Structures are given as structure tokens and as C-alpha cells.
Amino acid sequence: QVRFSYSRPVHDWAPRYNIAPTQDVIIVRRNGERHSAMVRWGLVPYGARDLKVGARMIDARGESAADKAPFDKSFEKRRCLMIADGFYEWKRTGPKRVPIYFTLNGSRPFGFAGLWTSWKSPEGEWVPTCTIVTTSSNALVETVHDRMPVILSEDAEEICWTTIRIPRT
């Protein structure tokens, strides 16, 4: 049961077990109408010399994204939903880090709050990129990590398209 409504679906993708930064992910964005797109995970800002910058821009703190380059313009004008049915956080156990997988009850899909932009390569190719918006962890996730993606409820997804600010704590 898919609950995300959009036109122009992406037909060339398949569900994956684990997605790493710099790989393509599916987002829903709005440019007049909602539509899905495959974009590279790791926001590459205008003026960047190459795609490598995106590997360091996989998330944006929700409390400050509106005020900080390279996220401010995307926060204002290019929000998206990043579609997933779970996410990993890494728990440190001594010298090791162990992946912990989080899902909603029933493992149903949900939308992370995200930001997107398009970067123009030196060769003139346009590459769409995105980042996940994060917030302080809830009680469940804080046992593993102090930050987590902003997970939007079905009711809150519409807010993604309007101008909002996440309060600073």
C-alpha cells in the first residue's frame, strides 16, 4: 500500500536493503506538481568543484539548515520527501560500531524531511543531489545516537512544502 501521491513516477528503480551516501535515492519533490526523482544522496552546493563534496553533506541539522550555507537556499525553495521504510544508526560497542536498524511499526514506508538541489559539473552536466534533515533523537534512537532523521507523519508531510522553521533547543 503506497501512500505517497505524486505524478511522473520513477520507473527505473528497485527496493534496496542498504543505501550508502553518494548512491541514488528516490525522493518526492514539488515543482508545480509532486513528482518522484532519483537523485544522488549528498548535497553538492552551487560553486562546488566536484561531486566529492556531497559525501560530507549527507545530512543537515534541522535547527540551523535555514541559516547556513550550503543548505539555506534549498531549505527555502527545494524541500523534498526522501522515501524509506527504515534507517540505520551505528552504535559504538568498544572499538566496534554495530548497525542498528530502525523502522516504524509494521515496516511501512515513510518520508524523511529532505533538501535537494542540482549541481552543474565542469562538463555542463546537471546532477540532482539531496540531503536528509536531522533532529535530536527520540527516546528510542537516543540509546544509539544523539541525532536522527526527521521522520514526517502523514499529516506533517504537507508541512514539508510550506515555509517552516524547526525551533532551536
Side-chain angles (χ1 to χ4, degrees):
Q1 177 184 9
V2 177
R3 67 178 174 80
F4 300 99
S5 63
Y6 52 84
S7 62
R8 299 187 316 193
V10 172
H11 297 286
D12 194 18
W13 72 278
R16 290 173 282 165
Y17 170 72
N18 188 14
I19 300 171
T22 73
Q23 291 181 333
D24 286 346
V25 296
I26 188 169
I27 66 168
V28 176
R29 59 187 175 185
R30 191 151 103 181
N31 191 2
E33 62 184 355
R34 291 183 193 181
H35 63 277
S36 61
M38 292 298 285
V39 304
R40 182 183 169 105
W41 179 19
L43 192 124
V44 180
Y46 177 82
R49 294 178 196 250
D50 61 49
L51 282 172
K52 292 178 187 174
V53 168
R56 296 186 312 270
M57 307 257 182
I58 62 171
D59 56 16
R61 294 178 74 89
E63 301 86 350
S64 60
D67 302 319
K68 298 210 175 188
F71 307 114
D72 53 351
K73 299 292 186 231
S74 290
F75 190 89
E76 183 181 328
K77 297 180 180 183
R78 291 181 292 276
R79 297 179 187 184
C80 65
L81 298 176
M82 297 176 69
I83 310 304
D85 62 4
F87 65 96
Y88 288 97
E89 289 295 352
W90 294 81
K91 183 173 187 160
R92 194 170 291 280
T93 57
K96 294 183 185 178
R97 292 177 51 187
V98 177
I100 308 294
Y101 188 61
F102 293 93
T103 65
L104 297 182
N105 288 336
S107 298
R108 64 189 188 277
F110 56 85
F112 292 132
L115 307 173
W116 72 276
T117 193
S118 287
W119 173 76
K120 189 174 183 180
S121 74
E123 297 77 35
E125 177 187 358
W126 285 100
V127 180
T129 64
C130 69
T131 191
I132 294 174
V133 177
T134 64
T135 189
S136 299
S137 292
N138 63 21
L140 178 64
V141 177
E142 75 182 353
T143 63
V144 177
H145 198 278
D146 64 336
R147 304 286 300 170
M148 65 179 275
V150 172
I151 299 172
L152 299 172
S153 68
E154 289 183 55
D155 293 336
E157 286 170 7
E158 194 58 34
I159 295 171
C160 174
W161 312 119
T162 62
T163 302
I164 61 164
R165 287 193 180 262
I166 298 172
R168 288 183 167 85
T169 53

